[in-house]
Amino acid sequence: MEEISLLMQGFAVALQPENIILMVAGIVLGVLIGVLPGLGGANGIAILLPLTFALPPVSAIILLSCIYWGALFGGAITSILFNIPGEPWSVATTFDGYPMAQQGRAGEALVAAFTSSFVGAFIAVLMITFVAPLVAQFALQFGPPEFFAVMFLSFACFIGLSKGSPFKALAAMMFGFLLAGVGLDGVTGQLRMTFGSMELMRGIDFLVVVIGLFGLSEIFQSIEEGLRFKGQSAKITLRTMLKTWSELPRHWWLFIRSSVIGCWMGVTPAGATPASFMSYGVARRMATDKESFGKGRVEGVIAPETAAHAAGTSALLPMLSLGVPGSPTAAVLLGGLIMWGLQPGPMLFVEQKDFVWGLIASMYLGNIVGLIIVLAAVPWFAMILRVPFSIIAAIILMVCAIGAYTVNSAEFDVVLMLIFGVIGYVMKKLDYPLAPLVLALVLGDRTEESFRQALLISEGSLAVFFSNWLVGTIMVAGLTLMFYPAISKLMAGFRSPKPA
């Protein structure tokens, strides 16, 4: 098969010595980011994105993606040893992981969590390997109306499937569109919303915004909460590893079911956190001894970790094949592609084969390297939580400021970063989601361009978005998802019994 041949070429790219070094460095950085509660993969990638400016695109995406895999692994360490989820998707892991650690089974819980993470990610990468090229090939037939419809579907998913209020998701998205409109109009060449400012003529840089929104706001929130760490110690021995591995095969159906849940939730923009909770809930519901969940069952660790990694990995499928991110982290990576001069979407598979297949190959290798590193070095990674948070916060703040300044070598960007740090903090306190804002900021220009091109083709008629079965189906799906919260409430109202 052609995919196998191209994947082998990708391995040749990923296995170059400099890429292997970046892979290991990315995994170590990612685990450290994952261990720090609240920082998270998207925040870590946003903060460290400026480090990739001097790297070739393939090496840069390998470094960033490995930071992401490392963060996915790292979140389980604090969940199991400290009962503090390093990542939102690791909350479900605490339910049974921490009780196992209290019972002196921390090594078993960690081995089960890391192995489950590896299996979930591996199955998702297999799906990307064989499905993404087919989706991209199909998407090559798209014109401006179809591309706008796909982006509309993505925005609608974030509104309709949002965990919180759809109105807040919509408001955050509109704010992102507003920011994306600042600067030079790509179609007419006119300046928009610059208010005479020379700095705003180049627009508001995506990277400056995400460093402030994700990095600074998390630090502000962590300082406010005054983090204190106290947990269990753990050491993974070869005997514990072999014993746990010998018992895991009997949970094969749990692995498959959790991976399917994770892949589905990853491709849709639901994300890793709902996937981990859903997988845990299904595992508990289908268990014969439901009451034992929450008291230290290994199935309670396997289910959320497998689903979270499958979701986190499969979120890259729509980003690679359609240029539409499936998660906040994928949105940050998508912004990175644009910064490196690449055009995300189906043409990547035609014009940048080394890049695409090098990335996919690095997903396989990165997860293997990540599994080996976390199994060998858990006690050292856990030691970072002994460092006072005031020191860690100061280092992160300094890295954020340097990163923002290096984007355009402008002090104005550091000021903008601080402003967006405060905005991000306020949005989190008011429970406004950040992901729709970032998505709109990244895709705003491309969405506007597709929309205006489609209207030019149709001479201003909106009927172009329903002019054939493909674009019409996508638009109807998008409208259905956008109004899904209202539809579900209406249906619930019809089903509820009327008072006598």
Side-chain angles (χ1 to χ4, degrees):
M1 293 177 67
E2 187 183 5
E3 285 80 8
I4 300 296
S5 170
L6 292 168
L7 184 60
M8 291 301 109
Q9 294 177 26
F11 276 114
V13 173
L15 284 171
Q16 291 174 6
E18 62 271 22
N19 289 337
I20 293 175
I21 293 171
L22 289 172
M23 202 178 293
V24 174
I27 292 290
V28 173
L29 280 171
V31 176
L32 291 175
I33 289 168
V35 165
L36 289 172
L39 193 55
N43 304 336
I45 290 174
I47 293 169
L48 298 175
L49 193 53
L51 294 179
T52 64
F53 285 172
L55 296 174
V58 178
S59 302
I61 194 70
I62 287 175
L63 173 64
L64 293 182
S65 61
C66 284
I67 290 173
Y68 185 34
W69 314 139
L72 286 168
F73 278 114
I77 297 175
T78 50
S79 299
I80 292 170
L81 298 185
F82 294 84
N83 202 26
I84 302 172
E87 305 284 352
W89 53 77
S90 298
V91 173
T93 307
T94 63
F95 299 159
D96 281 274
Y98 189 62
M100 288 179 73
Q102 288 179 309
Q103 296 162 15
R105 298 161 58 204
E108 181 189 347
L110 287 167
V111 172
F114 297 149
T115 309
S116 305
S117 303
F118 173 77
V119 172
F122 186 78
I123 291 175
V125 179
L126 276 178
M127 183 190 69
I128 290 175
T129 304
F130 294 103
V131 174
L134 298 177
V135 176
Q137 193 173 12
F138 180 66
L140 284 173
Q141 303 170 19
F142 285 12
E146 286 80 9
F147 271 116
F148 173 77
V150 168
M151 291 176 198
F152 175 74
L153 177 64
S154 176
F155 293 129
C157 285
F158 271 87
I159 296 171
L161 302 180
S162 171
K163 287 179 289 182
S165 164
F167 295 104
K168 289 184 175 179
L170 182 63
M173 193 174 288
M174 291 302 109
F175 185 41
F177 279 125
L178 187 69
L179 295 174
V182 175
L184 196 67
D185 184 342
V187 177
T188 64
Q190 299 292 316
L191 290 174
R192 300 187 298 196
M193 293 182 285
T194 59
F195 307 104
S197 168
M198 294 289 287
E199 286 84 0
L200 288 177
M201 285 177 64
R202 60 172 176 265
I204 296 178
D205 199 282
F206 142 83
L207 184 54
V208 174
V209 175
V210 295
I211 289 176
L213 284 178
F214 286 92
L216 276 193
S217 64
E218 285 293 343
I219 295 299
F220 293 158
Q221 201 163 17
S222 299
I223 291 172
E224 180 192 42
E225 292 169 355
L227 290 174
R228 297 286 184 275
F229 308 122
K230 184 179 178 182
Q232 311 293 322
S233 59
K235 186 178 179 183
I236 297 177
T237 63
L238 182 61
R239 184 179 177 183
T240 305
M241 206 184 306
L242 294 176
K243 180 174 178 295
T244 308
W245 280 347
S246 68
E247 294 173 357
L248 288 181
R250 63 192 176 92
H251 301 295
W252 63 273
W253 176 240
L254 179 60
F255 279 111
I256 293 175
R257 188 177 63 214
S258 302
S259 299
V260 170
I261 292 173
C263 288
W264 170 248
M265 300 293 276
V267 172
T268 64
T273 306
S276 64
F277 278 99
M278 181 181 289
S279 183
Y280 183 87
V282 172
R284 185 177 184 278
R285 182 181 291 272
M286 300 191 73
T288 53
D289 184 13
K290 298 181 179 63
E291 298 305 318
S292 61
F293 270 76
K295 299 177 181 174
R297 279 190 66 155
V298 72
E299 292 94 327
V301 173
I302 294 172
E305 286 295 316
T306 306
H309 275 237
T313 307
S314 58
L316 300 184
L317 190 151
M319 183 199 82
L320 284 173
S321 55
L322 297 173
V324 176
S327 69
T329 309
V332 178
L333 288 174
L334 183 72
L337 298 189
I338 296 171
M339 286 176 54
W340 302 322
L342 301 176
Q343 183 65 33
M347 289 306 291
L348 265 183
F349 284 82
V350 179
E351 297 174 347
Q352 302 289 341
K353 289 183 179 178
D354 282 352
F355 175 85
V356 171
W357 291 101
L359 169 60
I360 294 175
S362 76
M363 293 181 186
Y364 289 98
L365 297 173
N367 277 291
I368 294 171
V369 172
L371 180 64
I372 294 170
I373 288 177
V374 291
L375 284 174
V378 163
W380 287 276
F381 286 121
M383 281 175 64
I384 193 172
L385 295 182
R386 315 292 182 194
V387 179
F389 190 75
S390 55
I391 297 175
I392 294 174
I395 294 172
I396 294 173
L397 283 173
M398 185 178 67
V399 172
C400 287
I402 294 172
Y405 180 78
T406 53
V407 175
N408 294 305
S409 300
E411 294 175 6
F412 180 71
D413 285 341
V414 180
V415 177
L416 271 184
M417 177 200 71
L418 291 170
I419 293 171
F420 280 104
V422 175
I423 292 173
Y425 171 78
V426 173
M427 288 180 70
K428 285 177 181 174
K429 299 301 285 185
L430 298 177
D431 203 23
Y432 279 81
L434 298 181
L437 191 160
V438 175
L439 183 72
L441 182 60
V442 172
L443 293 181
D445 287 342
R446 296 178 62 204
T447 306
E448 182 187 1
E449 185 181 333
S450 299
F451 180 74
R452 292 168 75 169
Q453 286 178 348
L455 289 184
L456 286 172
I457 293 170
S458 66
E459 298 180 346
S461 172
L462 291 175
V464 69
F465 299 114
F466 300 91
S467 58
N468 61 59
W469 69 269
L470 178 59
V471 66
T473 303
I474 299 172
M475 286 298 292
V476 169
L479 288 168
T480 305
L481 280 172
M482 178 181 281
F483 294 106
Y484 175 75
I487 295 170
S488 59
K489 278 188 180 178
L490 194 64
M491 296 292 289
F494 281 121
R495 282 197 296 266
S496 61
K498 295 180 180 176

